[in-house]
């Protein structure tokens, strides 16, 4: 009945849709997926031909707590628009498309095969409770929930943000890392899982990766 009153339309081109989708097949296929060559550490794509694995200049002298970051798509106005509309416009139905994009990375990148084989949990980057009250949902959690359905991996809310930080938008990498130091801690579910885990790892899920500082601090907390 709602579809009759408010016909669903593609979030990018506006064409009429059905079957609970938020993107038409053409717009979905046209979104730029990450393809080689890209930095083996942060996942930044590079044009041209590069033989073999490499680290970009931004990552060469850095040691992160995470093994590698693997974006689903490259930076693009359309994907950024979808993320911003989910995050700030509260268009939660867009998480279905973004979560599906995230799940494609597991088939596209052989480095994620151990996660599928070992049933590693998907751990969304948490929001502080004040921001969560304002937004009413955590965009990383919504994306992880959809990716969980596509991959069969469990979603685990293993982390909490124990203090609120200033926005990271205008900060450089060193400032971001200092701003986030000690911000995350384990939840009861996270401690229970870590106590029972004999081996393996986790896949941390966030909506956007810029400098990697947020994911780095999440990984550092889990490793500790």
């Amino acid at each position: 009945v709602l579809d009759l009153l408010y016909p669903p339309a593609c979030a990018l081109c506006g064409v009429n849709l059905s079957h609970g989708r938020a993107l038409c097949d053409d717009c979905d296929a046209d979104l730029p997926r990450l393809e080689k060559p890209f930095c083996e550490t942060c996942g930044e794509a590079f044009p041209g031909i590069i033989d073999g694995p490499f680290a970009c200049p931004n990552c060469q002298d850095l040691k992160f707590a995470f093994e590698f970051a693997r974006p689903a798509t490259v930076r693009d106005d359309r994907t950024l628009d979808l993320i911003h509309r989910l995050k700030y416009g509260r268009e939660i139905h867009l998480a279905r498309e973004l979560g599906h994009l995230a799940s494609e990375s597991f088939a596209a990148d052989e480095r994620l095969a151990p996660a599928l084989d070992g049933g590693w949990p998907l751990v969304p980057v948490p929001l502080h409770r004040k921001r969560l009250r304002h937004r009413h949902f955590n965009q990383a959690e919504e994306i992880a929930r959809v990716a969980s359905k596509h991959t069969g991996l469990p979603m685990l809310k293993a982390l909490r943000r124990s203090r609120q930080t200033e926005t990271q938008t205008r900060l450089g990498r060193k400032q971001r890392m200092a701003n986030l130091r000690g911000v995350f801690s384990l939840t009861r579910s996270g401690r229970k899982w870590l106590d029972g885990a004999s081996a393996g790892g986790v896949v941390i899920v966030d909506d956007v990766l810029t400098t990697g500082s947020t994911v780095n601090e999440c990984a550092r907390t889990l490793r500790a």
Side-chain angles (χ1 to χ4, degrees), residues 33-109:
R33 273 66 165 180
L34 181 67
E35 296 181 353
K36 292 182 178 180
F38 56 81
C39 174
E40 293 285 308
T41 303
C42 71
E44 183 176 357
F46 281 81
I49 300 174
I50 300 176
D51 294 327
F54 75 99
C56 71
N58 290 328
C59 294
Q60 284 178 350
D61 298 325
L62 294 174
K63 183 173 178 58
F64 291 110
F66 58 84
E67 293 294 326
F68 62 89
R70 209 291 180 185
T73 68
V74 298
R75 185 180 179 88
D76 181 84
D77 287 343
R78 291 164 295 174
T79 49
L80 282 176
D81 179 56
L82 293 175
I83 290 169
H84 288 168
R85 286 165 61 182
L86 165 65
K87 193 171 181 176
Y88 304 115
R90 299 180 180 177
E91 298 186 43
I92 301 180
H93 63 286
L94 296 179
R96 186 180 304 168
E97 304 297 339
L98 294 169
H100 181 260
L101 284 170
S103 69
E104 290 180 356
S105 299
F106 288 85
D109 197 322

Side-chain angles (χ1 to χ4, degrees), residues 134-156:
H134 172 73
R135 190 173 292 164
H136 303 297
F137 68 95
N138 176 1
Q139 69 279 357
E141 186 178 322
E142 297 300 322
I143 292 170
R145 182 177 289 111
V146 176
S148 172
K149 292 178 180 178
H150 285 286
T151 61
L153 299 177
M155 186 184 77
L156 175 67

Side-chain angles (χ1 to χ4, degrees), residues 128-198:
H128 188 267
R129 61 182 181 275
K130 288 185 178 179
R131 189 162 294 171
L132 189 59
R133 279 202 300 266
H134 172 73
R135 190 173 292 164
H136 303 297
F137 68 95
N138 176 1
Q139 69 279 357
E141 186 178 322
E142 297 300 322
I143 292 170
R145 182 177 289 111
V146 176
S148 172
K149 292 178 180 178
H150 285 286
T151 61
L153 299 177
M155 186 184 77
L156 175 67
K157 292 192 275 189
L159 294 169
R160 68 166 60 90
R161 193 180 287 251
S162 50
R163 64 178 173 84
Q164 193 169 16
T165 56
E166 61 178 290
T167 180
Q168 302 269 89
T169 307
R170 294 185 175 87
L171 301 180
R173 176 176 272 151
K174 289 184 178 179
Q175 293 171 309
R176 289 182 184 221
M177 288 186 171
N179 189 42
L180 289 167
R181 180 65 65 175
V183 140
F184 300 107
S185 59
L186 287 176
T187 62
R188 183 178 299 176
S189 298
R191 288 188 181 278
K192 183 177 180 181
W193 180 84
L194 285 170
D195 289 342
S198 58

